């Protein structure tokens, strides 16, 4: 970086303005009840269908239950509900705090103990569900057997005794397992997601939260309803209405008209109920708002994102840490090129970290040239004004034949109707010692599989290689090899657990299934910004030398588990016009860097020596379908 006379730059003025204007946020408790005073019954309205009990001053220590996690001083008084104690019928109870209505972004948090008769898996009549919710009118018993139910509620069984142990409701309607709402893609406690969350021990029934204190949170934020148990996301779905209303604490036996034996062993206890605004951002965990850290100079925000730099991965030319190398970073490069005299001294290291590609402690024209290669002008056209969104595209093609659908896929992708986050390519760096010489290679991939739509509304679109190949030919790309898929997964910043759909119960070749799986991935991805390299969400359609001996076939590989082991070994058993929800097309640029020199990827794959950089199957002379 060249040194010049000190002067105030536009960027530095902007930085000062951002620091001065940063809001100071505060967390507020909107409502709470610990039940310790023993007088809460008069502060709540209780509605039930009969054969239900409520006790707002229940000392749960008398049945050997320890103090709840958020109780102060070891107190053991909470709210106890039971239903279906004698009648052998379906019943429910709902309680609402009087005079309360919450709106905007807030969350309901509480401690919960679910008890049930019998040992692991429960006994006769043991299956009942906790039922808690937000945005209620407080005018009715809320449960799926009442069509007047409103708001949103979440329910879970204590011992995993139902196929639908985990339930999310909008009004009286339950979201099913295929809705994409449940992070596990399943409502049954036997799913590995729940089994990992509630292992035995300490839980008696693996995959179910009964007979232990758990901490529960239900909230609405960023136009999304979320449900957490012990800090793990259970369900999430979009809601842009933000309807206001009361909270609801309840209990129900909505599935089985049977009485537990003994009935006194089956109940729920709630304690330390509180409604609060969300805490301000504190990404570095120092107990201080990020905005205060930045304004006080405790944390740097050299790239003006409003996030302390220590919480971002500011490298590889991505100055604003948004997962994309684009014109915003190009402008930042010029800002950094001004030199130490024009930069806040504390921000020089941020510029070096982001743009000093040759590691010489300076930013100069060599680094500028490297940035140009990373930015790399894309053959993909800009997204047309008024282009259809992902959900609109799904609605259009759902009833089309495979051939007609794939022609529409090609039209949309080649016209540029892909989300902006796919345009920021990610470097994959590999190396190998060949003939005693170390070779370094860099190739460039889209951060996600080919999608249609906008950043706000897109869909990952499975397609056959019969249409994927001409699309990539036109856009100057190719599909990855098996080795490249492994290397891409290793480099992925976001690794999600695979979410398979059972082909025995669902037609996995339907467009509706494609979209359901896409929504499941998006629920899993919640909280992670678009544009980060993602892995574990699809099988890749790959290129392989075996295509020469297996003509008219599609090769698939990958879908890595969190352990790094792929679900799908290299497989060529399907015809090339087969496609299902699990297939993804990863765009790889057809030109790469080999020891700093730009070369075609095809040339490296065809080289008997250099091919090991990109292929674990040897030479690949025809890297296409």
């Amino acid at each position: 970086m060249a040194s010049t006379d000190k002067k105030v730059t536009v960027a530095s003025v902007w930085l000062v303005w951002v620091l001065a204007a940063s809001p100071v946020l505060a967390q507020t408790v909107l409502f709470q009840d610990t039940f310790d005073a023993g007088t809460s019954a008069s502060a709540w309205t209780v509605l039930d269908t009969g054969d239900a009990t409520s006790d707002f001053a229940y000392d749960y220590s008398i049945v050997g239950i320890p103090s709840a996690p958020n109780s102060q001083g070891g107190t053991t008084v909470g709210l106890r509900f039971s239903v279906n104690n004698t009648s052998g019928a379906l019943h429910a109870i709902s309680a609402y705090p009087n005079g309360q209505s919450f709106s905007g972004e807030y969350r309901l948090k509480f401690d919960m103990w679910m008890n049930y008769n019998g040992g692991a898996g429960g006994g006769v009549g043991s299956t009942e569900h906790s039922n808690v919710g937000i945005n209620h009118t407080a005018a009715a018993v809320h449960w799926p057997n009442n069509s007047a139910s409103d708001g949103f509620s979440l329910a879970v069984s204590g011992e995993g005794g139902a196929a639908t142990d985990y339930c999310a409701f909008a009004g009286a309607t339950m979201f099913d397992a295929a809705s994409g709402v449940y992070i596990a893609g399943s409502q049954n406690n036997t799913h590995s997601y729940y089994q990992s969350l509630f292992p035995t021990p300490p839980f008696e029934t693996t995959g179910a939260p009964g007979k232990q204190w758990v901490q529960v949170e239900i909230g609405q934020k960023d136009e999304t309803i979320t449900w957490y148990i012990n800090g793990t996301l259970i369900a999430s779905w979009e809601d842009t209405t933000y309807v206001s209303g009361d909270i609801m604490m309840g209990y129900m036996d909505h599935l089985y008209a049977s009485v537990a034996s003994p009935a006194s062993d089956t109940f729920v206890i709630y304690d330390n109920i509180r409604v609060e605004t969300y805490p301000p951002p504190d990404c570095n965990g120092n107990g201080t708002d990020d905005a205060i850290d930045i304004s006080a100079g405790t944390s740097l925000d050299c790239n003006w994102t409003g996030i302390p730099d220590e919480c971002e991965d500011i490298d590889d030319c991505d100055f604003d840490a948004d997962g994309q190398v684009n014109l915003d970073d190009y402008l930042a490069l010029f800002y950094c090129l001004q030199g130490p005299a024009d930069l806040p001294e504390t921000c020089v290291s941020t510029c070096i970290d982001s743009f000093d590609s040759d590691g010489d402690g300076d930013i100069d024209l060599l680094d500028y040239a490297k940035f140009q290669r990373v930015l790399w002008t894309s053959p993909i056209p800009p997204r047309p004004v008024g282009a259809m969104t992902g959900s609109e595209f799904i609605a259009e093609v759902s009833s089309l034949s495979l051939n007609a659908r794939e022609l529409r896929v090609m039209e949309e992708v080649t016209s540029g109707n892909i989300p902006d986050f796919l345009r920021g390519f990610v470097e994959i760096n590999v190396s190998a010692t060949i003939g005693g010489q170390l070779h370094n290679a860099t190739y460039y991939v889209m951060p996600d599989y080919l999608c249609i739509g906008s950043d706000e509304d897109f869909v990952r679109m499975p397609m056959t290689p019969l249409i994927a190949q001409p699309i990539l030919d036109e856009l100057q790309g190719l599909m990855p090899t098996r080795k490249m898929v492994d290397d891409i997964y290793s480099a992925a910043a976001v690794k999600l657990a695979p979410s398979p759909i059972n082909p025995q119960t669902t037609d996995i070749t339907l467009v509706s299934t494609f979209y359901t799986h896409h929504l499941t991935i998006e629920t899993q991805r919640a909280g992670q910004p678009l544009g980060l390299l993602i892995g574990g969400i699809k099988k890749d359609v790959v290129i392989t030398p075996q295509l020469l001996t297996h003509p008219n076939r599609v090769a698939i590989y990958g879908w890595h588990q969190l352990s790094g082991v792929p679900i799908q070994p290299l497989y060529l058993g399907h015809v090339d016009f087969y496609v299902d929800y699990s297939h993804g097309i990863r765009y790889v640029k057809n030109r790469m860097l080999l020891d700093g020199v730009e070369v075609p990827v095809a040339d490296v794959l065809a080289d008997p020596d250099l091919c090991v950089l990109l292929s674990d199957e040897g030479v690949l002379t025809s890297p296409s379908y």
Side-chain angles (χ1 to χ4, degrees):
M1 292 182 291
S3 178
T4 62
D5 293 336
K6 286 189 177 288
K7 58 186 176 186
V8 178
T9 65
V10 173
S12 61
V13 170
W14 182 27
L15 176 62
V16 171
W17 182 85
V18 169
L19 297 182
S22 296
V24 177
L25 306 176
Q27 181 179 358
T28 303
V29 176
L30 305 174
F31 169 82
Q32 62 181 341
D33 197 338
T34 64
F35 306 103
D36 292 341
T39 58
S40 294
S42 61
W44 292 71
T45 295
V46 179
L47 305 173
D48 64 60
T49 61
D51 197 12
T53 67
S54 62
D55 186 344
F56 284 82
Y58 181 70
D59 183 356
Y60 47 80
S61 67
I62 63 175
V63 291
I65 297 175
S67 178
N70 289 287
S71 293
Q72 300 297 312
T75 61
T76 56
V77 175
L79 166 61
R80 180 186 184 275
F81 287 139
S82 67
V83 295
N84 199 2
N85 298 296
T86 61
S87 65
L90 303 180
H91 285 293
I93 185 170
S94 301
Y96 306 92
N98 297 334
Q100 301 295 328
S101 182
F102 309 99
S103 60
E105 296 189 343
Y106 69 94
R107 58 185 180 177
L108 164 65
K109 301 179 73 174
F110 53 90
D111 300 320
M112 179 177 75
W113 180 288
M114 295 193 69
N115 220 71
Y116 55 86
N117 58 297
V124 174
S126 61
T127 303
E128 297 175 351
H129 283 69
S130 65
N131 188 29
V132 295
I134 59 175
N135 295 341
H136 299 287
T137 59
V141 178
H142 178 90
W143 67 321
N145 295 335
N146 180 8
S147 61
S149 296
D150 56 20
F152 300 112
S153 68
L154 296 311
V156 61
S157 70
E159 37 52 294
T164 53
D165 295 305
Y166 295 84
C167 309
F169 297 93
T173 303
M174 181 178 69
F175 294 104
D176 63 23
S179 65
V181 163
Y182 305 96
I183 304 306
S186 169
Q187 296 177 259
N188 197 303
N189 80 295
T190 58
H191 192 278
S192 59
Y193 189 80
Y194 304 123
Q195 301 258 310
S196 298
L197 179 58
F198 303 117
T200 303
F203 293 89
E204 184 177 71
T205 301
T206 308
K211 295 187 180 178
Q212 293 287 329
W213 282 113
V214 293
Q215 300 179 73
V216 184
E217 175 186 318
I218 302 167
Q220 57 181 26
K221 186 177 188 290
D222 298 330
E223 299 186 343
T224 302
I225 305 296
T226 55
W227 176 24
Y228 291 86
I229 301 179
N230 285 352
T232 297
L233 185 62
I234 302 298
S236 171
W237 69 92
E238 182 180 1
D239 172 54
T240 60
T241 58
Y242 275 13
V243 177
S244 61
D246 205 348
I247 62 169
M248 182 272 297
M249 311 301 295
Y251 192 51
M252 62 186 180
D253 190 344
H254 71 293
L255 294 176
Y256 306 112
S258 56
V259 177
S261 178
S264 59
D265 284 353
T266 305
F267 54 85
V268 68
I269 297 172
Y270 300 116
D271 203 354
N272 305 310
I273 297 170
R274 57 206 181 277
V275 178
E276 62 188 29
T277 59
Y278 281 87
D282 179 24
C283 70
N284 55 22
N286 67 351
T288 303
D289 298 6
D290 291 341
I292 293 176
D293 280 338
I294 293 171
S295 62
T298 306
S299 293
L300 298 177
D301 184 23
C302 294
N303 59 351
W304 323 301
T305 61
I307 301 171
D309 289 346
E310 66 265 29
C311 300
E312 297 179 303
D313 185 14
I314 308 174
D315 59 11
D316 295 331
C317 302
D318 183 17
F319 190 74
D320 56 8
D322 66 349
Q324 303 179 57
V325 177
N326 51 28
L327 290 180
D328 291 335
D329 302 301
Y330 185 75
L331 296 174
L333 173 60
F334 277 94
Y335 166 65
C336 291
L337 277 169
Q338 293 176 94
D342 280 349
L343 301 178
E345 182 177 352
T346 51
C347 289
V348 171
S349 62
T350 303
C351 287
I352 296 293
D353 289 344
S354 186
F355 297 118
D356 181 22
S357 62
D358 54 9
D360 64 353
D362 197 0
I363 299 177
D364 49 31
L365 291 179
L366 289 175
D367 302 308
Y368 176 76
K370 166 66 181 301
F371 180 83
Q372 285 184 308
R373 291 197 297 268
V374 175
L375 187 61
W376 215 325
T377 302
S378 172
I380 304 171
R383 187 168 184 265
V385 175
M388 63 172 46
T389 64
S391 56
E392 289 171 341
F393 181 77
I394 289 294
E396 178 193 319
V397 303
S398 290
S399 60
L400 298 183
S401 67
L402 173 61
N403 289 340
R405 180 180 84 218
E406 296 229 304
L407 287 175
R408 288 291 295 117
V409 170
M410 184 170 186
E411 290 171 354
E412 291 300 313
V413 175
T414 57
S415 72
N417 187 13
I418 69 170
D420 287 342
F421 75 84
L422 283 183
R423 300 173 188 270
F425 286 83
V426 179
E427 290 187 4
I428 305 297
N429 297 297
V430 294
S431 62
T433 299
I434 303 168
Q437 180 181 352
L438 177 65
H439 290 277
N440 297 301
T442 300
Y443 58 93
Y444 301 83
V445 301
M446 278 185 175
D448 207 325
Y449 296 96
L450 274 178
C451 305
I452 291 174
S454 65
D455 279 4
E456 294 73 29
D457 184 346
F458 66 94
V459 59
R460 295 174 180 87
M461 197 63 202
M463 61 192 83
T464 71
L466 299 177
I467 203 67
Q469 189 62 61
I471 288 174
L472 293 175
D473 288 344
E474 182 162 342
L475 301 182
Q476 300 176 29
L478 72 165
M479 285 171 259
T481 65
R482 178 173 65 182
K483 180 181 185 300
M484 294 166 82
V485 171
D486 288 337
D487 291 338
I488 291 168
Y489 182 78
S490 295
V494 178
K495 294 180 172 71
L496 301 179
S499 295
I501 295 174
N502 188 348
Q504 304 302 318
T505 58
T506 304
D507 187 341
I508 61 175
T509 66
L510 293 178
V511 171
S512 58
T513 307
F514 296 179
Y515 194 50
T516 295
H517 189 246
H518 165 77
L519 294 176
T520 298
I521 295 168
E522 282 305 281
T523 301
Q524 290 181 277
R525 191 191 59 80
Q528 298 285 356
L530 292 168
L532 296 179
L533 185 62
I534 192 169
I537 61 174
K538 293 280 186 184
K539 302 172 186 175
D540 282 78
V541 178
V542 296
I543 50 177
T544 167
Q546 294 186 42
L547 288 169
L548 294 176
T549 56
H550 294 74
N552 305 315
R553 296 285 174 168
V554 57
I556 53 176
Y557 172 74
W559 214 357
H560 290 72
Q561 303 167 87
L562 294 178
S563 64
V565 177
I567 290 177
Q568 178 65 67
L570 184 60
Y571 178 71
L572 291 90
H574 292 306
V575 293
D576 56 10
F577 53 83
Y578 176 82
V579 59
D580 67 42
Y581 78 98
S582 67
H583 294 192
I585 304 297
R586 179 85 72 170
Y587 176 115
V588 181
K589 284 188 175 181
N590 65 6
R591 299 187 70 81
M592 60 181 287
L593 295 178
L594 175 63
D595 297 325
V597 178
E598 183 183 334
V599 297
V601 172
D603 287 359
V604 176
L605 286 169
D607 188 288
D609 298 320
L610 297 173
C611 65
V612 297
L613 290 162
L614 304 178
S615 170
D616 60 5
E617 297 182 272
V619 170
L620 182 55
T621 56
S622 181
S624 65
Y625 282 83

